[in-house]
Amino acid sequence: MAAQFGRRLRKGAATTAVAAVAVAALSASQAPGVNDHGRQTAADATPSPEASASDGSATGNSPYYTDLPPLKSPNPSPSTGPAPGGTGTTESGIPATVLDAYKKAETTLREAKPGCNLPWQLLAAIGRVESGQARGGRVDADGTTLKPILGPQLDGNGFALIKDTDDGAYDGNSSYDQAVGPMQFIPSTWAWAGRDGNGDGKKDPNNIYDAALAAGHYLCRNDWDLSQQGDLDRAILSYNNSRDYLNLVMRWLEYYRKGTHEVPDGTGTLPDNRSDDGAGASPTPTVPGATNPAGSTPKPGPKPEKPETPQKPGGGGTTTPKPPTTPPGTPSTPPTTPPTPTDTVDHLEDAGTAKLTAMAGDAFGRRISTRAETEAGKAVAKVRVRFTIVGDTDTTFTGGEDVATVATNSSGVAVAPALQAGEKTGTVTVRATVVGRAVPGLDYKATVTERAADALARTGDAALTCAPGGTFANQVEVKATYKGAVADGVAATATLIKSADDPTVTDKGPYFKDADGKTVRTLTGLKTDAKGLLKLPKLYADDTTGTFLLRVTTAGGATLTVELTVAAAETSSPSPSASPSA
């Protein structure tokens, strides 16, 4: 589910408008709607109306690079590659480790979520816009950035207001969240979307392999098919809730689809412009004392702590606005920040969730509903509630995730995605918590029962007969159903019993053979197949004649008793001789 974060970034509207105009100019100069094969390009396709911006984003709607791709098509020859540390927006090369991370993520998602159709070029486009490809590929051999890449603190001053959710574990800020790493995840999103992309056992947002794989899974949730323009629009808007952002990412996606090439780590292009500042703004706050790659042009330092502070004419520093003059004797009242809906939440209450039970492999028919309330019991809307499946279980939410974040509606209720039962039976705990608010969580219990059948029937009606010491010509096959539907994967047992009234195992008559050829009259560990069918092994007969019973039982209580007959072959009597005639 899309994480619900903050309000859309509003600062730098003039800069964003300029970028939008530039996008339009670029579109016109590149003959919008037609590519080399005469088809409409994804970049020029009109976003679907359903892809309207939502309240959520992976980045908390943090600022991003607004540099446009060059007009000239990529596919440069090796001789036209960039000089180390080159700057500007005309370079199509992607640092080697960063490029490898994008392609590896695409390969992994092709297996994990084949219906998503994620192209690595989309990750490259987002990585370019979010961090300039990890600041030109400044990563170590394992893919971890040499210095942290952090967005501005989301304190509501020109940005969304997202109070600290990770105690500063990822961003070093215990007051407000900041976007982290080359793909710019905010901590509350990384907490559930993070992945281990390089197999080192850690989920590090500062590692390009981990971040690229997490971004791929994030873009592939909700069963989105990124080969469809509508779903592609929705996925990109869920990453950063801005139409300008969508248009820009689409431009870079088309650019990289036309060709790119690998460049050494640390020599990638550093963009110049960012959505919250004028040209030359640093993309992210940098660490004091950090050095630039060899040959690169140092970028200006981090933007002022308060983004709304205006620049001095000519860009030479900043000026601090003087407070408005007040009449003498007027007491000075510091400005106060009104509480957010999240600030008013006192506790979570169950919102009528019924008993949660499902058979292994099935979807739960009911969903968890949680209501956020104030201390007085008043419902609170527009609060993000995180649902987390805890414990050792393979039960997930629909789509394969074990965490989902949902915003409360006007009634203060958040409804979790449907649960999909795994194969592990028992009790599953789903914990609801408020994102950005330290209030006690609310636990829900869901029960996964073993696969079951309530009816068994033979698939054929041929008589099951055998001569003493022989082999039954027909094998017993049964079909299991549950409430009329195929019951697949159901455990079953087959036993040769003494009689209908005595279900103990008989010691004579028909029998099965084990792998060593020994006689066995009880088979356990059987399971119906995908069609609910179970075909028993061959049956043999000893020298005892008579009628015998085979009983098949399944989990859920279905029982079928089959009659077996062992009899000697009938012999015909010789016809009497004709008496001689008189």
Side-chain angles (χ1 to χ4, degrees):
M1 294 294 297
Q4 304 297 318
F5 303 111
R7 299 174 59 190
R8 179 176 174 177
L9 173 66
R10 298 189 182 277
K11 188 176 185 294
T15 301
T16 303
V18 170
V21 171
V23 168
L26 176 63
S27 175
S29 65
Q30 291 182 321
V34 179
N35 69 358
D36 294 339
H37 303 286
R39 63 174 174 82
Q40 185 181 32
T41 66
D44 296 312
T46 301
S48 61
E50 296 84 356
S52 58
S54 62
D55 290 334
S57 77
T59 67
N61 297 325
S62 294
Y64 54 87
Y65 284 123
T66 58
D67 296 57
L68 297 169
L71 296 174
K72 185 178 180 181
S73 177
N75 294 311
S77 64
S79 62
T80 60
T87 60
T89 60
T90 60
E91 178 52 55
S92 64
I94 299 178
T97 299
V98 177
L99 181 60
D100 182 60
Y102 296 150
K103 292 184 176 181
K104 184 176 180 181
E106 179 197 57
T107 300
T108 300
L109 266 299
R110 191 182 301 129
E111 297 178 1
K113 297 182 178 180
C116 177
N117 295 305
L118 172 80
W120 66 261
Q121 292 91 341
L122 176 59
L123 297 177
I126 291 176
R128 181 63 165 74
V129 170
E130 291 293 346
S131 70
Q133 311 297 21
R135 291 187 60 75
R138 299 191 67 221
V139 297
D140 62 19
D142 295 323
T144 303
T145 58
L146 300 181
K147 296 292 182 181
I149 301 176
L150 298 174
Q153 67 177 16
L154 300 175
D155 56 6
N157 289 319
F159 308 102
L161 175 60
I162 303 180
K163 294 186 177 181
D164 176 64
T165 61
D166 66 331
D167 292 327
Y170 293 118
D171 53 15
N173 189 335
S174 59
S175 298
Y176 300 95
D177 271 352
Q178 295 175 247
V180 181
M183 302 304 279
Q184 290 289 277
F185 279 97
I186 56 174
S188 56
T189 307
W190 185 261
W192 64 267
R195 293 292 191 279
D196 176 16
N198 62 351
D200 63 356
K202 298 183 295 183
K203 300 175 182 179
D204 182 4
N206 297 295
N207 182 277
I208 186 59
Y209 287 99
D210 294 358
L213 183 59
H217 275 280
Y218 186 90
L219 295 165
C220 285
R221 68 199 193 288
N222 297 331
D223 292 326
W224 282 328
D225 178 357
L226 302 186
S227 66
Q228 301 298 316
Q229 187 64 45
D231 282 355
L232 180 59
D233 290 349
R234 295 180 187 91
I236 296 172
L237 282 171
S238 78
Y239 210 90
N240 193 307
N241 187 0
S242 164
R243 282 284 171 173
D244 294 330
Y245 181 88
L246 168 63
N247 293 335
L248 185 60
V249 169
M250 290 304 303
R251 289 293 169 193
W252 279 106
L253 171 58
E254 283 303 312
Y255 182 73
Y256 286 134
R257 275 176 168 166
K258 293 176 182 176
T260 186
H261 63 284
E262 179 183 296
V263 299
D265 289 345
T267 67
T269 302
L270 300 180
D272 293 319
N273 306 300
R274 203 171 63 161
S275 61
D276 64 327
D277 272 312
S282 173
T284 52
T286 54
V287 177
T291 58
N292 294 301
S296 66
T297 302
K299 307 295 287 184
K303 62 183 182 59
E305 181 179 353
K306 294 184 178 181
E308 73 277 10
T309 301
Q311 295 278 336
K312 285 183 178 180
T318 62
T319 60
T320 303
K322 294 181 180 181
T325 304
T326 55
T330 301
S332 175
T333 303
T336 58
T337 303
T340 66
T342 301
D343 294 331
T344 67
V345 177
D346 176 75
H347 60 273
L348 294 175
E349 288 285 344
D350 176 47
T353 303
K355 185 177 181 180
L356 299 168
T357 303
M359 196 181 298
D362 290 349
F364 282 75
R366 300 183 182 275
R367 296 163 69 178
I368 296 172
S369 297
T370 300
R371 183 171 57 253
E373 296 183 353
T374 64
E375 185 176 5
K378 183 179 179 181
V380 185
K382 298 182 179 180
V383 172
R384 289 171 292 139
V385 176
R386 179 179 297 128
F387 297 95
T388 306
I389 300 173
V390 298
D392 182 18
T393 179
D394 55 355
T395 292
T396 64
F397 291 113
T398 302
E401 305 291 349
D402 56 10
V403 178
T405 303
V406 183
T408 57
N409 59 21
S410 59
S411 300
V413 175
V415 180
L419 286 166
Q420 176 68 41
E423 294 302 322
K424 292 183 179 179
T425 60
T427 301
V428 177
T429 300
V430 180
R431 182 165 299 149
T433 55
V434 179
V435 176
R437 181 75 169 163
V439 299
L442 186 61
D443 284 355
Y444 293 85
K445 301 297 182 182
T447 302
V448 179
T449 61
E450 64 179 335
R451 294 172 182 259
D454 58 11
L456 282 173
R458 280 189 65 194
T459 59
D461 56 4
L464 299 169
T465 60
C466 180
T471 302
F472 283 81
N474 298 308
Q475 290 178 245
V476 177
E477 184 180 64
V478 298
K479 182 174 183 177
T481 56
Y482 182 78
K483 295 183 178 180
V486 167
D488 61 313
V490 178
T493 300
T495 307
L496 290 153
I497 60 176
K498 289 183 177 179
S499 68
D501 298 325
D502 185 359
T504 56
V505 182
T506 185
D507 57 359
K508 58 184 177 180
Y511 61 91
F512 300 104
K513 290 182 180 180
D514 64 13
D516 297 324
K518 296 180 180 179
T519 298
V520 291
R521 290 189 167 91
T522 297
L523 297 177
T524 59
L526 305 173
K527 277 191 176 183
T528 60
D529 65 15
K531 296 180 179 180
L533 299 176
L534 173 63
K535 191 170 187 177
L536 300 181
K538 287 183 178 181
L539 277 163
Y540 303 88
D542 60 14
D543 293 333
T544 307
T545 59
T547 300
F548 303 89
L549 299 179
L550 168 67
R551 180 162 291 172
V552 182
T553 59
T554 68
T559 300
L560 176 67
T561 302
V562 180
E563 189 173 280
L564 308 173
T565 302
V566 179
E570 294 184 4
T571 57
S572 57
S573 301
S575 57
S577 302
S579 57
S581 56

